[in-house]
Amino acid sequence: RGTSRRLGNERARTRRKPQTMQGVMRATATNAHVARGAKTARRGTAARAGATKTKGPPANLERFRIETPWDKAKQVLKEEFGATDEELKRCEDLSDEDLNKAYYMMQLCRDFENECNQAYMAGKIRGFMHLDNGQESIPALLADAIRKDDLKHSYYRDHCHALACGVDSGAVMAELFGKDGGTCRGTGGSMHVYDMDTNFQGGWALVAEQLPYAVGAARSIVLDKMLGRDDAHDRVTVVFVGEGGAQNGRMAECLNAAAKENLPILFLVIDNGRAINTFTKDVATNQEVFNQGKHYGVPGVLVDGQNVQDVLRVGRAAINHVRTKGPAILQVHTFRFNGHSPADPEHERNRKDEKRWARAECDPIKIFEESADAKRIDLAAQTAKAKEEVQRALAFADASPPPPANLAAELEYPDPSGNVDYAAREPVEGLASAEAVTEKIVPAETLAALKARIEALRAMCLDPRGISIGDAVNLAILEEMLRDPTCVAHAEDLQAGSSYNIPANTQQAFGTLRAADEIIDEGHFMGKALGEAMNGYRPIVELMNANFGIYGMAELSSAGNTYATTGGQFQMPMTVIGAGGTAPNQSLGAEHSQPFHAYIMGIPGLKICSASKPQEAYGLAKSMIRDNGPGVLLLPVKMMKSRGPVTPDSFLPLHKSTVHHLASDESVKNDKAVTIVTYLHGVKETEEAIAELNTKGIDADFIELTCMKPVDWKTIQTSLQRTHKLVILDESTRTGGVGATVSAFVGENLFDELDAPVMRLCMEDAPVPYASEMEKTVVKRAADVVTAVTYMIDRQA
């Protein structure tokens, strides 16, 4: 079999070689959605594209191995990347040590994945697991050219990427086994391998979600350089994505961002031609992912992933380009020998035939073993070394204890509620050092103007007319960005202050890198913020309208999950601020009147606050920016210009609600008191309602949910022990709303305190209409509060 395979490869090499990388790619990007009906037509297509079939392929084969010989690749690298002969010579030279290292890594990955498969079948690994057999040339490249201090963002097929980047094999295997000795203490599992020591930052399970995170990581390297950090120099970020994931719109956004700021990022596209049950060519008009960057000036190159020598040479050149010049795309054409996961029945057409053929004819390990270079190394020794390492990993995973049962609860927040004095928290590098950095990177004249602006805003805080909500939050952001150079801002229309002045003057003071104007996709810049937060920065994201955050639900979800999923390794000091909600007579229609706050209540790890007055907006913003976990601060869109007093340098807790008014003792004694809980625009409506209720001899404990999550149940409990009646004015829908959560909690835990059923005044389960006549039936207001409270009191009487 070995002889026939070698002869087959030799015959394949005698056929006409592809003239260009594009020609090679056309073999995989055919528009055919089914196998060609005639063999002659099939052969003609392959020949025209420059791809050749090795001996004995099945007649229904739709995906061929390609060839990207180094001589041809060098020409592309010169033309597209501007590589010099000297640079290419360094890439070309493969020492015996290089080949030993590459072969060992391929064998380590192959044996590791085979043992994972056995462990999965034995029930030691559970859930989803995705194996990498057939694509081992990629981890060989990583081990060869990617350094420990580089930042790496992988996807759900991440085991081998982690091994190649230096993550301990025992820790990876233990993570798959769900053990405490795993990279993430068993919290992440197969799809979520993270390791802070080697800068391996995922393991992300949603297809293509890792792309903006990696762009944020690359921005952190550029920010490090700006701040004068010694270890920044030529570090790079590498992000892995499949050719299918590269069809996601996130890819175009991230190529644009990488080009706009010339970020040191390599988009490493792993092209195995298929998803679970779909051929990529069935859904993608063009599979030449390496050409996607041309519109943005980002060069790309394609390489045959079955030839590890070519992968090393071309990959080195691409990585060197990123280290010295800017972003690039490397597309590696591979065959994956396993199904999507062990649970994959592999029903897609021709899949099993292709897999059998590819294992025999396209195995990168076998192809290397049959090359002349194999004679330069001790194959048996490297194979034995790899097997020994995998057995060590298995033994470590078996011996590792399970994680404590309460670990998940302990990892909900980096800063447990009530345990932090935000006023005393200094920047990570120390206050004196942070101030010195700011003075170094901000011109003196600009710094003087910024401080003058801050003093003007602080004067407004003490003015009898007060300061607006928007300006109060702007003051908090300017103060924090001045104090801590790791604070960065992202927003649409940022340079003009966005819609409510929240990010005003940030770009003018701190420049476009620390205060970035963004494209119109909140998910994109939330994702970049997440990547920055994982790498030592405190991003502040302003949403022009909170409802636009719907575009970033995946990113918010991952932000909330990251601290726990990484086993507590990566904190997530990321703040999202937006004006939203639904006021009576808002007249904005359904899309601008959605209860975004309710949508995100179910995301673990998020702290969610709201503020209806300048003091609360300022104090919560200051605390949230200094918190080490992700937070969302929601503001009332129709009250952003309302003014009030603010105490400068004040910090509010992120786990406490605000009591604005207590019912009189007399009303409590006479059973004429209720507890009203609300937030956002409901605060103004409740103030009006209480004024009218007072004329009827009725009063209320008035609680604003300045902390919506975690729910401050103690404040509600204290009030109900006085009034025994609860009304919730809720700016979200009847089903799944914030009020539903509060009501359920009260019913489950404080039922004995109630003298009457909880009254929920919430938005109906209907899109908010534009016309006032309809809107009144959907959105509740002061008049509804008066009616409900009066009914509750009168019925009890």
Side-chain angles (χ1 to χ4, degrees), residues 645-667:
V646 166
T647 302
D649 302 316
S650 58
F651 294 80
L652 293 179
L654 302 179
H655 68 293
K656 297 293 290 182
S657 292
T658 300
V659 179
H660 288 296
H661 176 75
L662 287 175
S664 66
D665 292 339
E666 183 179 0
S667 65

PDB file of all heavy atoms in Angstrom, residues 645-667:
ATOM      1  N   PRO A 645     -29.018  67.274  41.257  1.00  0.00           N
ATOM      2  CA  PRO A 645     -27.718  67.422  41.928  1.00  0.00           C
ATOM      3  C   PRO A 645     -26.913  66.131  41.876  1.00  0.00           C
ATOM      4  O   PRO A 645     -27.469  65.035  41.797  1.00  0.00           O
ATOM      5  CB  PRO A 645     -28.114  67.766  43.369  1.00  0.00           C
ATOM      6  CG  PRO A 645     -29.440  67.094  43.543  1.00  0.00           C
ATOM      7  CD  PRO A 645     -30.138  67.192  42.221  1.00  0.00           C
ATOM      8  N   VAL A 646     -25.598  66.277  41.934  1.00  0.00           N
ATOM      9  CA  VAL A 646     -24.681  65.134  41.987  1.00  0.00           C
ATOM     10  C   VAL A 646     -23.566  65.472  42.969  1.00  0.00           C
ATOM     11  O   VAL A 646     -23.055  66.602  42.984  1.00  0.00           O
ATOM     12  CB  VAL A 646     -24.082  64.823  40.599  1.00  0.00           C
ATOM     13  CG1 VAL A 646     -22.893  63.874  40.722  1.00  0.00           C
ATOM     14  CG2 VAL A 646     -25.133  64.216  39.674  1.00  0.00           C
ATOM     15  N   THR A 647     -23.203  64.500  43.773  1.00  0.00           N
ATOM     16  CA  THR A 647     -22.059  64.654  44.659  1.00  0.00           C
ATOM     17  C   THR A 647     -20.821  64.112  43.949  1.00  0.00           C
ATOM     18  O   THR A 647     -20.719  62.901  43.725  1.00  0.00           O
ATOM     19  CB  THR A 647     -22.268  63.887  45.974  1.00  0.00           C
ATOM     20  OG1 THR A 647     -23.458  64.362  46.615  1.00  0.00           O
ATOM     21  CG2 THR A 647     -21.072  64.067  46.905  1.00  0.00           C
ATOM     22  N   PRO A 648     -19.898  64.970  43.546  1.00  0.00           N
ATOM     23  CA  PRO A 648     -18.699  64.483  42.849  1.00  0.00           C
ATOM     24  C   PRO A 648     -17.918  63.489  43.709  1.00  0.00           C
ATOM     25  O   PRO A 648     -17.949  63.542  44.938  1.00  0.00           O
ATOM     26  CB  PRO A 648     -17.892  65.764  42.595  1.00  0.00           C
ATOM     27  CG  PRO A 648     -18.908  66.860  42.606  1.00  0.00           C
ATOM     28  CD  PRO A 648     -19.917  66.446  43.634  1.00  0.00           C
ATOM     29  N   ASP A 649     -17.256  62.565  43.023  1.00  0.00           N
ATOM     30  CA  ASP A 649     -16.419  61.543  43.663  1.00  0.00           C
ATOM     31  C   ASP A 649     -17.218  60.579  44.529  1.00  0.00           C
ATOM     32  O   ASP A 649     -16.673  59.953  45.443  1.00  0.00           O
ATOM     33  CB  ASP A 649     -15.307  62.187  44.505  1.00  0.00           C
ATOM     34  CG  ASP A 649     -14.416  63.112  43.690  1.00  0.00           C
ATOM     35  OD1 ASP A 649     -14.045  62.716  42.562  1.00  0.00           O
ATOM     36  OD2 ASP A 649     -14.112  64.223  44.170  1.00  0.00           O
ATOM     37  N   SER A 650     -18.507  60.452  44.233  1.00  0.00           N
ATOM     38  CA  SER A 650     -19.324  59.502  44.982  1.00  0.00           C
ATOM     39  C   SER A 650     -19.469  58.200  44.200  1.00  0.00           C
ATOM     40  O   SER A 650     -19.471  58.193  42.975  1.00  0.00           O
ATOM     41  CB  SER A 650     -20.711  60.094  45.265  1.00  0.00           C
ATOM     42  OG  SER A 650     -21.366  60.442  44.052  1.00  0.00           O
ATOM     43  N   PHE A 651     -19.566  57.102  44.940  1.00  0.00           N
ATOM     44  CA  PHE A 651     -19.695  55.777  44.350  1.00  0.00           C
ATOM     45  C   PHE A 651     -20.901  55.086  44.973  1.00  0.00           C
ATOM     46  O   PHE A 651     -21.101  55.145  46.187  1.00  0.00           O
ATOM     47  CB  PHE A 651     -18.438  54.944  44.598  1.00  0.00           C
ATOM     48  CG  PHE A 651     -17.219  55.474  43.907  1.00  0.00           C
ATOM     49  CD1 PHE A 651     -16.502  56.536  44.451  1.00  0.00           C
ATOM     50  CD2 PHE A 651     -16.797  54.933  42.707  1.00  0.00           C
ATOM     51  CE1 PHE A 651     -15.374  57.044  43.818  1.00  0.00           C
ATOM     52  CE2 PHE A 651     -15.675  55.431  42.065  1.00  0.00           C
ATOM     53  CZ  PHE A 651     -14.966  56.490  42.611  1.00  0.00           C
ATOM     54  N   LEU A 652     -21.692  54.426  44.138  1.00  0.00           N
ATOM     55  CA  LEU A 652     -22.864  53.715  44.635  1.00  0.00           C
ATOM     56  C   LEU A 652     -22.654  52.216  44.479  1.00  0.00           C
ATOM     57  O   LEU A 652     -22.008  51.760  43.532  1.00  0.00           O
ATOM     58  CB  LEU A 652     -24.116  54.146  43.867  1.00  0.00           C
ATOM     59  CG  LEU A 652     -24.562  55.588  44.077  1.00  0.00           C
ATOM     60  CD1 LEU A 652     -25.802  55.891  43.241  1.00  0.00           C
ATOM     61  CD2 LEU A 652     -24.840  55.865  45.550  1.00  0.00           C
ATOM     62  N   PRO A 653     -23.214  51.441  45.395  1.00  0.00           N
ATOM     63  CA  PRO A 653     -23.070  49.981  45.299  1.00  0.00           C
ATOM     64  C   PRO A 653     -23.840  49.430  44.105  1.00  0.00           C
ATOM     65  O   PRO A 653     -24.892  49.962  43.732  1.00  0.00           O
ATOM     66  CB  PRO A 653     -23.652  49.486  46.625  1.00  0.00           C
ATOM     67  CG  PRO A 653     -24.584  50.569  47.055  1.00  0.00           C
ATOM     68  CD  PRO A 653     -23.978  51.854  46.583  1.00  0.00           C
ATOM     69  N   LEU A 654     -23.312  48.371  43.528  1.00  0.00           N
ATOM     70  CA  LEU A 654     -23.950  47.764  42.355  1.00  0.00           C
ATOM     71  C   LEU A 654     -24.920  46.660  42.730  1.00  0.00           C
ATOM     72  O   LEU A 654     -25.447  45.981  41.843  1.00  0.00           O
ATOM     73  CB  LEU A 654     -22.859  47.195  41.421  1.00  0.00           C
ATOM     74  CG  LEU A 654     -21.804  48.185  40.917  1.00  0.00           C
ATOM     75  CD1 LEU A 654     -20.793  47.473  40.021  1.00  0.00           C
ATOM     76  CD2 LEU A 654     -22.449  49.345  40.175  1.00  0.00           C
ATOM     77  N   HIS A 655     -25.187  46.511  44.026  1.00  0.00           N
ATOM     78  CA  HIS A 655     -26.071  45.434  44.461  1.00  0.00           C
ATOM     79  C   HIS A 655     -27.210  45.950  45.344  1.00  0.00           C
ATOM     80  O   HIS A 655     -27.917  45.149  45.953  1.00  0.00           O
ATOM     81  CB  HIS A 655     -25.271  44.383  45.244  1.00  0.00           C
ATOM     82  CG  HIS A 655     -24.749  44.873  46.564  1.00  0.00           C
ATOM     83  ND1 HIS A 655     -23.779  45.848  46.667  1.00  0.00           N
ATOM     84  CD2 HIS A 655     -25.079  44.538  47.839  1.00  0.00           C
ATOM     85  CE1 HIS A 655     -23.516  46.074  47.930  1.00  0.00           C
ATOM     86  NE2 HIS A 655     -24.299  45.304  48.667  1.00  0.00           N
ATOM     87  N   LYS A 656     -27.407  47.259  45.383  1.00  0.00           N
ATOM     88  CA  LYS A 656     -28.444  47.820  46.251  1.00  0.00           C
ATOM     89  C   LYS A 656     -29.418  48.678  45.453  1.00  0.00           C
ATOM     90  O   LYS A 656     -29.019  49.449  44.579  1.00  0.00           O
ATOM     91  CB  LYS A 656     -27.801  48.685  47.344  1.00  0.00           C
ATOM     92  CG  LYS A 656     -26.890  47.933  48.294  1.00  0.00           C
ATOM     93  CD  LYS A 656     -27.655  46.942  49.157  1.00  0.00           C
ATOM     94  CE  LYS A 656     -28.538  47.645  50.176  1.00  0.00           C
ATOM     95  NZ  LYS A 656     -29.244  46.662  51.036  1.00  0.00           N
ATOM     96  N   SER A 657     -30.688  48.528  45.783  1.00  0.00           N
ATOM     97  CA  SER A 657     -31.703  49.409  45.226  1.00  0.00           C
ATOM     98  C   SER A 657     -31.731  50.720  46.007  1.00  0.00           C
ATOM     99  O   SER A 657     -31.120  50.836  47.077  1.00  0.00           O
ATOM    100  CB  SER A 657     -33.077  48.733  45.274  1.00  0.00           C
ATOM    101  OG  SER A 657     -33.113  47.632  44.385  1.00  0.00           O
ATOM    102  N   THR A 658     -32.455  51.710  45.474  1.00  0.00           N
ATOM    103  CA  THR A 658     -32.517  53.035  46.093  1.00  0.00           C
ATOM    104  C   THR A 658     -33.925  53.290  46.612  1.00  0.00           C
ATOM    105  O   THR A 658     -34.906  53.150  45.874  1.00  0.00           O
ATOM    106  CB  THR A 658     -32.142  54.123  45.067  1.00  0.00           C
ATOM    107  OG1 THR A 658     -30.806  53.880  44.604  1.00  0.00           O
ATOM    108  CG2 THR A 658     -32.216  55.503  45.695  1.00  0.00           C
ATOM    109  N   VAL A 659     -34.026  53.638  47.879  1.00  0.00           N
ATOM    110  CA  VAL A 659     -35.322  53.985  48.473  1.00  0.00           C
ATOM    111  C   VAL A 659     -35.488  55.494  48.372  1.00  0.00           C
ATOM    112  O   VAL A 659     -34.768  56.256  49.032  1.00  0.00           O
ATOM    113  CB  VAL A 659     -35.406  53.528  49.943  1.00  0.00           C
ATOM    114  CG1 VAL A 659     -36.752  53.928  50.543  1.00  0.00           C
ATOM    115  CG2 VAL A 659     -35.192  52.016  50.042  1.00  0.00           C
ATOM    116  N   HIS A 660     -36.432  55.936  47.553  1.00  0.00           N
ATOM    117  CA  HIS A 660     -36.641  57.374  47.346  1.00  0.00           C
ATOM    118  C   HIS A 660     -37.614  57.978  48.354  1.00  0.00           C
ATOM    119  O   HIS A 660     -37.548  59.185  48.630  1.00  0.00           O
ATOM    120  CB  HIS A 660     -37.177  57.628  45.934  1.00  0.00           C
ATOM    121  CG  HIS A 660     -36.153  57.436  44.854  1.00  0.00           C
ATOM    122  ND1 HIS A 660     -35.023  58.212  44.744  1.00  0.00           N
ATOM    123  CD2 HIS A 660     -36.095  56.553  43.823  1.00  0.00           C
ATOM    124  CE1 HIS A 660     -34.309  57.828  43.693  1.00  0.00           C
ATOM    125  NE2 HIS A 660     -34.935  56.817  43.129  1.00  0.00           N
ATOM    126  N   HIS A 661     -38.496  57.145  48.883  1.00  0.00           N
ATOM    127  CA  HIS A 661     -39.534  57.694  49.778  1.00  0.00           C
ATOM    128  C   HIS A 661     -40.047  56.573  50.665  1.00  0.00           C
ATOM    129  O   HIS A 661     -40.200  55.432  50.221  1.00  0.00           O
ATOM    130  CB  HIS A 661     -40.677  58.273  48.943  1.00  0.00           C
ATOM    131  CG  HIS A 661     -41.829  58.777  49.763  1.00  0.00           C
ATOM    132  ND1 HIS A 661     -41.791  59.961  50.467  1.00  0.00           N
ATOM    133  CD2 HIS A 661     -43.065  58.247  49.986  1.00  0.00           C
ATOM    134  CE1 HIS A 661     -42.938  60.152  51.083  1.00  0.00           C
ATOM    135  NE2 HIS A 661     -43.726  59.131  50.808  1.00  0.00           N
ATOM    136  N   LEU A 662     -40.290  56.890  51.931  1.00  0.00           N
ATOM    137  CA  LEU A 662     -40.900  55.948  52.850  1.00  0.00           C
ATOM    138  C   LEU A 662     -42.304  56.416  53.208  1.00  0.00           C
ATOM    139  O   LEU A 662     -42.534  57.613  53.464  1.00  0.00           O
ATOM    140  CB  LEU A 662     -40.068  55.813  54.129  1.00  0.00           C
ATOM    141  CG  LEU A 662     -38.749  55.044  54.022  1.00  0.00           C
ATOM    142  CD1 LEU A 662     -38.004  55.113  55.344  1.00  0.00           C
ATOM    143  CD2 LEU A 662     -39.001  53.607  53.611  1.00  0.00           C
ATOM    144  N   ALA A 663     -43.242  55.488  53.218  1.00  0.00           N
ATOM    145  CA  ALA A 663     -44.614  55.817  53.618  1.00  0.00           C
ATOM    146  C   ALA A 663     -44.620  56.292  55.073  1.00  0.00           C
ATOM    147  O   ALA A 663     -43.809  55.847  55.897  1.00  0.00           O
ATOM    148  CB  ALA A 663     -45.513  54.595  53.456  1.00  0.00           C
ATOM    149  N   SER A 664     -45.516  57.196  55.359  1.00  0.00           N
ATOM    150  CA  SER A 664     -45.597  57.722  56.724  1.00  0.00           C
ATOM    151  C   SER A 664     -45.993  56.612  57.696  1.00  0.00           C
ATOM    152  O   SER A 664     -46.651  55.639  57.324  1.00  0.00           O
ATOM    153  CB  SER A 664     -46.635  58.842  56.792  1.00  0.00           C
ATOM    154  OG  SER A 664     -47.930  58.319  56.552  1.00  0.00           O
ATOM    155  N   ASP A 665     -45.567  56.774  58.933  1.00  0.00           N
ATOM    156  CA  ASP A 665     -45.928  55.784  59.953  1.00  0.00           C
ATOM    157  C   ASP A 665     -47.436  55.689  60.107  1.00  0.00           C
ATOM    158  O   ASP A 665     -47.986  54.609  60.361  1.00  0.00           O
ATOM    159  CB  ASP A 665     -45.281  56.151  61.290  1.00  0.00           C
ATOM    160  CG  ASP A 665     -43.763  56.008  61.260  1.00  0.00           C
ATOM    161  OD1 ASP A 665     -43.258  55.282  60.388  1.00  0.00           O
ATOM    162  OD2 ASP A 665     -43.092  56.635  62.119  1.00  0.00           O
ATOM    163  N   GLU A 666     -48.112  56.822  59.970  1.00  0.00           N
ATOM    164  CA  GLU A 666     -49.572  56.819  60.117  1.00  0.00           C
ATOM    165  C   GLU A 666     -50.233  55.988  59.037  1.00  0.00           C
ATOM    166  O   GLU A 666     -51.168  55.222  59.295  1.00  0.00           O
ATOM    167  CB  GLU A 666     -50.099  58.258  60.082  1.00  0.00           C
ATOM    168  CG  GLU A 666     -51.606  58.336  60.313  1.00  0.00           C
ATOM    169  CD  GLU A 666     -52.112  59.769  60.294  1.00  0.00           C
ATOM    170  OE1 GLU A 666     -51.282  60.687  60.101  1.00  0.00           O
ATOM    171  OE2 GLU A 666     -53.339  59.962  60.464  1.00  0.00           O
ATOM    172  N   SER A 667     -49.764  56.134  57.787  1.00  0.00           N
ATOM    173  CA  SER A 667     -50.370  55.357  56.697  1.00  0.00           C
ATOM    174  C   SER A 667     -50.096  53.869  56.886  1.00  0.00           C
ATOM    175  O   SER A 667     -50.957  53.040  56.576  1.00  0.00           O
ATOM    176  CB  SER A 667     -49.820  55.827  55.350  1.00  0.00           C
ATOM    177  OG  SER A 667     -48.432  55.559  55.230  1.00  0.00           O
TER     178      SER A 667
END
